[in-house]
Amino acid sequence: MSVLRIRGRALPTGDWLDLYADGDRWTTDPVRGAELVAEGWLLPGLVDAHTHPGVERPGQPLDDELLRTDLHRHVERGVTMVRAPGLAGDPPDWFGRDPDVPRAVHAGLWIAQHGQFIDGWGRRADLADLPRAAAAQAASSGWAKLIADWEPGDPPLPEAVLRDVVARVHAVGGRVAVHSQQAAGGAAAVAAGVDSVEHGMCLDPELLPEMAARGTALTPTLALITESLARVRQRPDGPRRRWYLAGATGHAALAAAAVEAGVVVLAGTDSRPHGRIADEVRALVGAGIRPHDALGAASWAARAYLGLPGLVPGAPADAVVYDADPRVDLAQLDRPRAVVLRGALVSAAQSTRAKLA
């Protein structure tokens, strides 16, 4: 089996790189007989940091066949790493490991208070037992996902409980992701020092400097939230409609302010069909975020947050190659020239080899 080779301008720096896949690691040491499979603009693999593959509708059990199909759609669009902050069941052994699916981390079932979240998906517990449940999940998978708030009028998780969750999860080497779409839940999550706030709708912008100082990431799932506005506006007036419209209409500005404040912003889709990471990047750019930073939220910055280096010697051999600089032409994200995962070419434009011949 020949050694794979790619070359071109590598982001985020734009420096020229000539890379060889030494198994599942990049090297810049030339390898005789290596096969040049693509050249162009190189990114260290895209990341969808908020995706729930393997189910068609909320509340359904995890479907292993659908899970693989969904993950393949991610790979086709250049996604070589996913974070699933909530899965509908225990994933199969091949999840995140097989050569045809992205690397992956997950948080198991969502953890919520009694009476909140989606039937069939939430692991519900008394407040006193939530920290233990979260620590057990994190010890198993590395992450725990808690529902800090749910419907308008529901009590949010108390800050003291979330502090205990964070302490116990960090003690076992794990990380805490928190769903929040209301001000009180977001404030409690930030004060408790969680590792990531998911959605963050209605989050007080005054909390952004504290998030930046603590290293708390924000995954705004911006495209999903802003795309829903037209639909929600057609609904009858009521407390839930007013809450959602108030948060969603200001969400783009919140995401842009988070980047400006130095918060780690992660790109996540939280939607079907899978493989829509380009839509989230474009939504971030539409919010006023520089294309460089929006793309970083879906690539090098997200990988660094999840513990993976970029296109450097010794790094995992993941990459996506484009014909032109995707920061200048965001449409490039819809048509990667080649996708390399674990040192193997897993997706390529039909013209790739002809162009390089």
Coordinates of all heavy atoms in Angstrom, one line a residue, residues 229-320:
L229 N -36.4 31.0 12.8 CA -37.1 32.2 13.1 C -38.3 32.4 12.3 O -39.4 32.7 12.8 CB -36.1 33.4 12.9 CG -35.2 33.7 14.1 CD1 -34.2 34.7 13.7 CD2 -36.0 34.2 15.3
A230 N -38.3 32.2 11.0 CA -39.4 32.4 10.1 C -40.6 31.5 10.5 O -41.8 31.9 10.6 CB -39.1 32.2 8.7
R231 N -40.2 30.2 10.9 CA -41.3 29.3 11.3 C -41.9 29.6 12.6 O -43.1 29.6 12.8 CB -40.6 27.9 11.4 CG -41.6 26.8 11.7 CD -40.9 25.4 11.6 NE -39.9 25.2 12.7 CZ -38.6 25.3 12.4 NH1 -38.1 25.5 11.2 NH2 -37.7 25.1 13.4
V232 N -41.1 30.0 13.6 CA -41.6 30.4 14.9 C -42.4 31.7 14.8 O -43.5 31.8 15.5 CB -40.4 30.6 15.9 CG1 -41.0 31.1 17.2 CG2 -39.7 29.3 16.1
R233 N -42.1 32.6 13.9 CA -42.9 33.8 13.8 C -44.3 33.5 13.3 O -45.2 34.4 13.5 CB -42.2 34.8 12.8 CG -41.0 35.4 13.4 CD -40.5 36.6 12.5 NE -39.3 37.2 13.0 CZ -38.1 37.1 12.6 NH1 -37.8 36.3 11.5 NH2 -37.1 37.7 13.2
Q234 N -44.6 32.4 12.7 CA -45.9 32.1 12.2 C -46.8 31.4 13.3 O -48.0 31.2 13.1 CB -45.8 31.1 11.0 CG -45.0 31.6 9.8 CD -45.6 32.9 9.3 OE1 -46.8 33.0 9.1 NE2 -44.7 33.9 9.1
R235 N -46.2 31.1 14.5 CA -46.9 30.5 15.5 C -47.8 31.5 16.3 O -47.5 32.7 16.3 CB -46.0 29.8 16.5 CG -45.3 28.6 15.8 CD -44.3 28.0 16.8 NE -43.5 26.9 16.2 CZ -42.5 26.3 16.8 NH1 -42.1 26.7 18.0 NH2 -41.9 25.3 16.2
P236 N -48.8 31.1 17.0 CA -49.6 32.0 17.8 C -48.8 32.6 18.9 O -47.9 31.9 19.4 CB -50.8 31.1 18.3 CG -50.8 29.9 17.4 CD -49.4 29.7 16.9
D237 N -49.2 33.8 19.3 CA -48.4 34.4 20.4 C -48.6 33.6 21.7 O -49.6 33.0 22.0 CB -48.9 35.8 20.6 CG -48.1 36.7 21.5 OD1 -46.8 36.4 21.6 OD2 -48.6 37.5 22.2
G238 N -47.5 33.7 22.5 CA -47.5 33.0 23.8 C -46.1 33.1 24.4 O -45.2 33.6 23.8
P239 N -46.0 32.7 25.7 CA -44.7 32.9 26.4 C -43.6 32.2 25.7 O -42.5 32.7 25.6 CB -45.0 32.3 27.8 CG -46.5 32.4 27.9 CD -47.1 32.2 26.6
R240 N -43.8 30.9 25.2 CA -42.7 30.2 24.5 C -42.3 30.9 23.2 O -41.1 31.0 22.9 CB -43.2 28.8 24.2 CG -42.0 27.9 23.9 CD -42.4 26.4 23.7 NE -41.2 25.5 23.8 CZ -40.4 25.4 22.9 NH1 -40.5 26.1 21.7 NH2 -39.3 24.6 23.0
R241 N -43.2 31.4 22.4 CA -42.9 32.1 21.2 C -42.1 33.3 21.5 O -41.1 33.6 20.9 CB -44.2 32.4 20.4 CG -43.9 33.2 19.1 CD -45.2 33.5 18.4 NE -45.1 34.2 17.2 CZ -45.0 35.6 17.1 NH1 -45.0 36.3 18.3 NH2 -44.8 36.2 16.0
R242 N -42.6 34.1 22.5 CA -41.9 35.3 22.8 C -40.5 35.1 23.3 O -39.5 35.8 23.0 CB -42.7 36.1 23.9 CG -44.0 36.7 23.3 CD -44.6 37.7 24.2 NE -45.1 37.1 25.5 CZ -46.3 36.6 25.6 NH1 -47.2 36.7 24.6 NH2 -46.7 36.1 26.8
W243 N -40.3 34.0 24.2 CA -39.0 33.7 24.7 C -38.1 33.3 23.5 O -36.9 33.8 23.4 CB -39.1 32.5 25.6 CG -37.9 31.6 25.7 CD1 -36.6 32.0 26.2 CD2 -37.7 30.3 25.1 NE1 -35.7 30.9 26.0 CE2 -36.4 29.9 25.3 CE3 -38.6 29.5 24.4 CZ2 -35.9 28.7 24.9 CZ3 -38.1 28.2 24.0 CH2 -36.8 27.9 24.2
Y244 N -38.6 32.5 22.6 CA -37.7 32.0 21.5 C -37.3 33.1 20.6 O -36.1 33.3 20.2 CB -38.4 30.9 20.7 CG -37.4 30.1 19.9 CD1 -36.7 29.0 20.4 CD2 -37.1 30.5 18.6 CE1 -35.8 28.4 19.6 CE2 -36.2 29.9 17.8 CZ -35.5 28.8 18.3 OH -34.6 28.1 17.5
L245 N -38.3 33.9 20.2 CA -37.9 35.0 19.3 C -37.0 36.0 19.9 O -36.1 36.5 19.2 CB -39.2 35.8 18.9 CG -40.2 35.0 18.0 CD1 -41.4 35.8 17.6 CD2 -39.5 34.5 16.7
A246 N -37.1 36.3 21.2 CA -36.2 37.2 21.9 C -34.8 36.7 21.8 O -33.8 37.4 21.6 CB -36.7 37.5 23.3
G247 N -34.6 35.4 22.1 CA -33.3 34.8 22.2 C -32.7 34.6 20.8 O -31.5 34.9 20.5
A248 N -33.5 34.1 19.8 CA -33.0 33.8 18.5 C -32.6 35.0 17.7 O -31.7 35.0 16.9 CB -34.0 32.9 17.8
T249 N -33.4 36.1 17.8 CA -33.1 37.3 17.0 C -31.8 37.9 17.5 O -31.1 38.6 16.7 CB -34.2 38.3 17.1 OG1 -34.5 38.6 18.5 CG2 -35.5 37.8 16.5
G250 N -31.4 37.7 18.7 CA -30.1 38.3 19.1 C -28.9 37.3 19.1 O -27.8 37.7 19.6
H251 N -29.2 36.1 18.6 CA -28.2 35.0 18.8 C -27.0 35.3 17.9 O -25.8 35.0 18.3 CB -28.8 33.7 18.5 CG -28.1 32.5 19.1 ND1 -27.7 32.5 20.4 CD2 -27.6 31.4 18.6 CE1 -27.0 31.4 20.7 NE2 -27.0 30.7 19.6
A252 N -27.2 35.8 16.7 CA -26.0 36.0 15.8 C -25.1 37.1 16.4 O -23.9 36.9 16.4 CB -26.5 36.5 14.4
A253 N -25.7 38.1 17.0 CA -24.9 39.1 17.6 C -24.1 38.6 18.8 O -23.0 39.0 19.1 CB -25.8 40.3 18.1
L254 N -24.7 37.7 19.6 CA -24.1 37.0 20.7 C -22.9 36.2 20.2 O -21.8 36.3 20.8 CB -25.0 36.1 21.4 CG -24.4 35.3 22.6 CD1 -24.1 36.2 23.8 CD2 -25.3 34.2 23.0
A255 N -23.0 35.5 19.2 CA -21.9 34.7 18.6 C -20.7 35.6 18.2 O -19.6 35.3 18.5 CB -22.4 33.8 17.5
A256 N -21.0 36.6 17.5 CA -20.0 37.6 17.1 C -19.3 38.2 18.3 O -18.1 38.4 18.3 CB -20.6 38.6 16.2
A257 N -20.1 38.6 19.3 CA -19.5 39.2 20.5 C -18.6 38.2 21.3 O -17.6 38.6 21.9 CB -20.6 39.7 21.4
A258 N -19.0 36.9 21.2 CA -18.2 35.9 21.9 C -16.8 35.8 21.2 O -15.8 35.7 21.9 CB -18.9 34.5 21.8
V259 N -16.8 35.8 19.9 CA -15.5 35.8 19.2 C -14.7 37.0 19.6 O -13.5 36.9 19.9 CB -15.7 35.6 17.7 CG1 -14.3 35.8 17.0 CG2 -16.3 34.3 17.4
E260 N -15.3 38.2 19.6 CA -14.6 39.4 19.9 C -14.1 39.4 21.3 O -13.0 40.0 21.6 CB -15.6 40.6 19.7 CG -15.0 41.9 19.9 CD -14.0 42.3 18.8 OE1 -14.1 41.7 17.7 OE2 -13.1 43.2 19.1
A261 N -14.8 38.7 22.2 CA -14.3 38.7 23.6 C -13.3 37.6 23.9 O -12.7 37.5 25.0 CB -15.5 38.4 24.5
G262 N -12.9 36.8 22.9 CA -11.9 35.8 23.0 C -12.4 34.5 23.5 O -11.6 33.6 23.9
V263 N -13.7 34.3 23.4 CA -14.3 33.0 23.8 C -14.0 32.0 22.6 O -14.0 32.3 21.5 CB -15.8 33.1 24.0 CG1 -16.5 31.7 24.2 CG2 -16.1 34.0 25.1
V264 N -13.7 30.7 23.0 CA -13.6 29.7 22.0 C -15.0 29.3 21.5 O -15.8 28.9 22.2 CB -12.9 28.4 22.6 CG1 -12.9 27.3 21.6 CG2 -11.5 28.7 23.1
V265 N -15.2 29.6 20.2 CA -16.5 29.3 19.6 C -16.3 28.1 18.7 O -15.4 28.0 17.9 CB -17.0 30.5 18.8 CG1 -18.2 30.2 17.9 CG2 -17.3 31.7 19.7
L266 N -17.2 27.1 18.9 CA -17.1 25.9 18.1 C -18.3 25.8 17.2 O -19.4 26.2 17.5 CB -17.2 24.7 19.1 CG -16.2 24.7 20.2 CD1 -16.5 23.5 21.2 CD2 -14.8 24.6 19.7
A267 N -18.1 25.3 16.0 CA -19.1 25.1 15.0 C -19.8 23.8 15.2 O -19.2 22.7 15.3 CB -18.5 25.2 13.6
G268 N -21.1 23.8 15.3 CA -21.9 22.6 15.5 C -23.2 22.8 14.8 O -23.8 23.9 14.8
T269 N -23.8 21.7 14.2 CA -24.9 21.8 13.4 C -26.2 21.4 14.1 O -27.3 22.0 13.9 CB -24.8 20.9 12.2 OG1 -24.6 19.5 12.6 CG2 -23.6 21.3 11.3
D270 N -26.2 20.4 14.9 CA -27.4 20.0 15.7 C -28.6 19.8 14.8 O -29.7 20.1 15.2 CB -27.7 21.0 16.8 CG -28.7 20.5 17.8 OD1 -28.8 19.3 18.0 OD2 -29.5 21.4 18.4
S271 N -28.4 19.2 13.6 CA -29.6 19.1 12.7 C -29.4 18.0 11.7 O -28.3 17.5 11.5 CB -29.7 20.5 11.9 OG -28.6 20.7 11.1
R272 N -30.5 17.6 11.1 CA -30.5 16.7 10.0 C -30.9 17.5 8.8 O -31.6 18.5 8.9 CB -31.5 15.6 10.2 CG -31.3 14.7 11.4 CD -32.2 13.5 11.3 NE -31.7 12.6 10.2 CZ -30.8 11.7 10.3 NH1 -30.1 11.5 11.5 NH2 -30.4 10.9 9.3
P273 N -30.4 17.1 7.6 CA -29.5 16.0 7.3 C -28.1 16.4 7.8 O -27.7 17.6 8.0 CB -29.5 15.9 5.8 CG -29.8 17.3 5.3 CD -30.8 17.9 6.3
H274 N -27.3 15.4 8.1 CA -25.9 15.6 8.6 C -25.0 16.0 7.4 O -25.4 15.9 6.3 CB -25.4 14.3 9.3 CG -26.2 14.0 10.5 ND1 -25.8 14.6 11.7 CD2 -27.3 13.3 10.8 CE1 -26.6 14.2 12.7 NE2 -27.5 13.4 12.2
G275 N -23.9 16.5 7.8 CA -22.9 17.0 6.8 C -23.2 18.4 6.4 O -22.8 18.9 5.3
R276 N -23.8 19.2 7.3 CA -24.1 20.6 7.0 C -23.2 21.6 7.7 O -23.5 22.7 8.0 CB -25.6 20.9 7.4 CG -26.6 20.2 6.7 CD -28.0 20.6 7.1 NE -28.2 22.1 6.8 CZ -29.0 22.9 7.5 NH1 -29.7 22.4 8.5 NH2 -29.1 24.1 7.1
I277 N -22.0 21.2 8.0 CA -21.0 22.1 8.7 C -20.8 23.4 7.9 O -20.5 24.4 8.5 CB -19.7 21.3 9.0 CG1 -18.9 22.1 10.1 CG2 -18.9 21.0 7.8 CD1 -19.6 22.2 11.4
A278 N -20.8 23.3 6.6 CA -20.6 24.5 5.8 C -21.6 25.5 6.1 O -21.4 26.7 6.1 CB -20.5 24.2 4.3
D279 N -22.9 25.1 6.3 CA -23.9 26.0 6.6 C -23.7 26.8 7.9 O -24.0 28.0 8.0 CB -25.3 25.3 6.7 CG -25.8 24.8 5.4 OD1 -25.3 25.2 4.3 OD2 -26.6 23.8 5.4
E280 N -23.1 26.1 8.9 CA -22.8 26.7 10.2 C -21.7 27.7 10.0 O -21.7 28.8 10.6 CB -22.4 25.7 11.2 CG -22.2 26.3 12.6 CD -23.4 26.9 13.3 OE1 -24.5 26.7 12.7 OE2 -23.2 27.5 14.3
V281 N -20.7 27.4 9.2 CA -19.6 28.4 9.0 C -20.1 29.6 8.3 O -19.8 30.7 8.7 CB -18.5 27.7 8.1 CG1 -17.4 28.7 7.7 CG2 -17.8 26.6 8.9
R282 N -21.0 29.4 7.3 CA -21.6 30.6 6.6 C -22.5 31.4 7.5 O -22.5 32.6 7.4 CB -22.4 30.1 5.4 CG -21.4 29.7 4.2 CD -22.2 29.5 2.9 NE -22.9 28.2 3.0 CZ -22.4 27.1 2.3 NH1 -21.2 27.2 1.7 NH2 -23.0 25.9 2.4
A283 N -23.2 30.7 8.5 CA -24.0 31.5 9.4 C -23.1 32.3 10.3 O -23.5 33.5 10.6 CB -24.9 30.5 10.2
L284 N -22.0 31.8 10.7 CA -21.1 32.5 11.6 C -20.5 33.8 10.8 O -20.4 34.9 11.4 CB -20.0 31.6 12.1 CG -20.4 30.5 13.0 CD1 -19.2 29.6 13.3 CD2 -20.9 31.1 14.4
V285 N -20.2 33.6 9.6 CA -19.7 34.7 8.8 C -20.8 35.7 8.6 O -20.6 36.9 8.7 CB -19.2 34.2 7.4 CG1 -18.9 35.4 6.5 CG2 -18.0 33.3 7.6
G286 N -22.0 35.2 8.4 CA -23.2 36.1 8.2 C -23.4 37.0 9.5 O -24.0 38.0 9.4
A287 N -23.0 36.4 10.7 CA -23.2 37.2 11.9 C -22.1 38.2 12.1 O -22.2 39.0 13.1 CB -23.1 36.2 13.1
G288 N -21.2 38.3 11.2 CA -20.1 39.3 11.2 C -18.8 38.8 11.7 O -17.9 39.6 11.9
I289 N -18.7 37.5 11.8 CA -17.4 36.9 12.2 C -16.5 36.8 11.0 O -16.9 36.4 9.9 CB -17.6 35.5 12.9 CG1 -18.4 35.7 14.2 CG2 -16.3 34.8 13.2 CD1 -19.0 34.4 14.8
R290 N -15.2 37.1 11.2 CA -14.3 37.0 10.1 C -14.3 35.5 9.5 O -14.3 34.6 10.3 CB -12.8 37.3 10.5 CG -12.5 38.7 10.9 CD -11.0 38.9 11.0 NE -10.4 37.8 11.8 CZ -9.2 37.4 11.7 NH1 -8.3 37.9 10.8 NH2 -8.7 36.5 12.5
P291 N -14.2 35.3 8.2 CA -14.2 34.0 7.6 C -13.1 33.1 8.2 O -13.3 31.9 8.5 CB -14.0 34.2 6.1 CG -14.6 35.6 5.9 CD -14.3 36.4 7.1
H292 N -11.9 33.7 8.5 CA -10.8 33.0 9.1 C -11.2 32.4 10.5 O -11.0 31.2 10.7 CB -9.6 33.9 9.3 CG -8.4 33.2 9.9 ND1 -7.5 32.6 9.1 CD2 -8.0 33.1 11.2 CE1 -6.5 32.1 9.8 NE2 -6.8 32.4 11.1
D293 N -11.9 33.2 11.3 CA -12.3 32.7 12.6 C -13.5 31.7 12.5 O -13.5 30.8 13.3 CB -12.7 33.9 13.5 CG -11.5 34.8 13.8 OD1 -10.4 34.3 13.9 OD2 -11.7 36.0 14.0
A294 N -14.4 32.0 11.6 CA -15.5 31.1 11.4 C -15.0 29.7 11.0 O -15.5 28.7 11.4 CB -16.5 31.7 10.4
L295 N -14.1 29.7 10.1 CA -13.5 28.4 9.6 C -12.7 27.8 10.7 O -12.8 26.5 10.8 CB -12.7 28.7 8.3 CG -12.3 27.4 7.5 CD1 -13.6 26.7 7.1 CD2 -11.5 27.9 6.3
G296 N -12.0 28.5 11.5 CA -11.3 27.9 12.6 C -12.2 27.3 13.6 O -11.9 26.2 14.2
A297 N -13.4 27.8 13.8 CA -14.4 27.2 14.7 C -14.8 25.9 14.2 O -15.3 25.0 15.0 CB -15.6 28.1 14.8
A298 N -14.6 25.6 12.9 CA -15.0 24.3 12.3 C -13.8 23.5 12.0 O -13.9 22.4 11.3 CB -15.9 24.5 11.1
S299 N -12.6 23.9 12.4 CA -11.4 23.2 12.0 C -10.3 23.3 13.1 O -10.4 22.6 14.1 CB -10.8 23.7 10.6 OG -9.7 23.0 10.2
W300 N -9.3 24.1 12.8 CA -8.1 24.1 13.7 C -8.4 24.4 15.2 O -7.9 23.8 16.1 CB -7.0 24.9 13.2 CG -7.4 26.3 12.9 CD1 -7.3 27.4 13.7 CD2 -7.8 26.9 11.6 NE1 -7.7 28.6 13.1 CE2 -8.0 28.3 11.8 CE3 -8.1 26.3 10.4 CZ2 -8.5 29.1 10.8 CZ3 -8.5 27.2 9.4 CH2 -8.7 28.5 9.6
A301 N -9.3 25.5 15.4 CA -9.6 25.9 16.8 C -10.4 24.8 17.5 O -10.2 24.5 18.7 CB -10.4 27.2 16.8
A302 N -11.3 24.2 16.7 CA -12.1 23.1 17.3 C -11.3 21.9 17.6 O -11.4 21.2 18.7 CB -13.3 22.7 16.4
R303 N -10.4 21.5 16.7 CA -9.5 20.4 17.0 C -8.6 20.6 18.2 O -8.4 19.7 19.0 CB -8.7 20.1 15.7 CG -9.5 19.5 14.6 CD -8.6 19.3 13.3 NE -7.6 18.2 13.5 CZ -7.8 17.0 13.2 NH1 -9.0 16.6 12.7 NH2 -6.9 16.1 13.3
A304 N -8.1 21.8 18.3 CA -7.3 22.1 19.4 C -8.0 22.0 20.7 O -7.6 21.5 21.7 CB -6.7 23.6 19.3
Y305 N -9.3 22.5 20.7 CA -10.1 22.4 21.9 C -10.4 21.0 22.3 O -10.4 20.6 23.5 CB -11.5 23.1 21.7 CG -12.4 23.0 22.8 CD1 -12.3 23.9 23.9 CD2 -13.4 22.1 22.8 CE1 -13.2 23.8 25.0 CE2 -14.3 22.0 23.9 CZ -14.2 22.9 25.0 OH -15.1 22.8 26.0
L306 N -10.5 20.1 21.3 CA -10.7 18.7 21.6 C -9.4 17.9 21.7 O -9.5 16.6 21.8 CB -11.6 18.1 20.5 CG -13.0 18.7 20.4 CD1 -13.8 18.2 19.2 CD2 -13.8 18.3 21.7
G307 N -8.3 18.5 21.7 CA -7.0 17.9 22.0 C -6.3 17.3 20.8 O -5.4 16.5 20.9
L308 N -6.7 17.8 19.6 CA -6.0 17.3 18.4 C -5.2 18.4 17.7 O -5.7 19.5 17.4 CB -7.0 16.8 17.3 CG -7.8 15.5 17.7 CD1 -8.8 15.1 16.6 CD2 -6.8 14.3 18.0
P309 N -3.9 18.2 17.4 CA -3.1 19.2 16.7 C -3.6 19.3 15.2 O -4.3 18.4 14.7 CB -1.7 18.7 16.8 CG -1.8 17.2 17.0 CD -3.1 17.0 17.7
G310 N -3.0 20.3 14.6 CA -3.4 20.5 13.1 C -2.4 19.8 12.2 O -2.0 18.7 12.5
L311 N -2.1 20.5 11.2 CA -1.2 19.9 10.1 C 0.3 20.1 10.5 O 1.0 20.9 9.9 CB -1.5 20.5 8.8 CG -2.9 20.3 8.3 CD1 -3.2 21.0 7.0 CD2 -3.2 18.8 8.1
V312 N 0.7 19.3 11.5 CA 2.1 19.4 11.9 C 2.6 18.0 12.0 O 1.9 17.0 12.1 CB 2.2 20.1 13.3 CG1 1.8 21.5 13.2 CG2 1.4 19.4 14.3
P313 N 3.9 17.8 11.9 CA 4.5 16.4 12.0 C 4.1 15.8 13.3 O 4.1 16.4 14.4 CB 6.0 16.7 12.0 CG 6.2 17.9 11.2 CD 5.0 18.8 11.6
G314 N 3.6 14.5 13.2 CA 3.2 13.8 14.4 C 1.7 13.9 14.7 O 1.2 13.1 15.5
A315 N 1.0 14.8 14.0 CA -0.4 15.0 14.2 C -1.2 13.9 13.5 O -0.7 13.3 12.6 CB -0.9 16.3 13.7
P316 N -2.4 13.6 14.0 CA -3.2 12.6 13.3 C -3.4 13.0 11.9 O -3.6 14.2 11.5 CB -4.6 12.7 14.1 CG -4.2 13.1 15.5 CD -3.0 14.1 15.3
A317 N -3.3 12.0 11.0 CA -3.3 12.3 9.5 C -4.7 12.5 9.0 O -5.3 11.7 8.3 CB -2.6 11.2 8.8
D318 N -5.3 13.6 9.4 CA -6.6 14.1 8.8 C -6.4 15.4 8.1 O -5.6 16.2 8.5 CB -7.6 14.4 10.0 CG -7.9 13.2 10.9 OD1 -7.7 12.0 10.4 OD2 -8.3 13.4 12.0
A319 N -7.1 15.5 7.0 CA -7.1 16.8 6.2 C -8.2 16.8 5.2 O -8.8 15.8 4.8 CB -5.8 16.9 5.5
V320 N -8.6 18.0 4.9 CA -9.5 18.3 3.8 C -8.9 19.3 2.8 O -8.2 20.2 3.3 CB -10.9 18.7 4.3 CG1 -10.8 20.0 5.1 CG2 -11.9 18.9 3.1

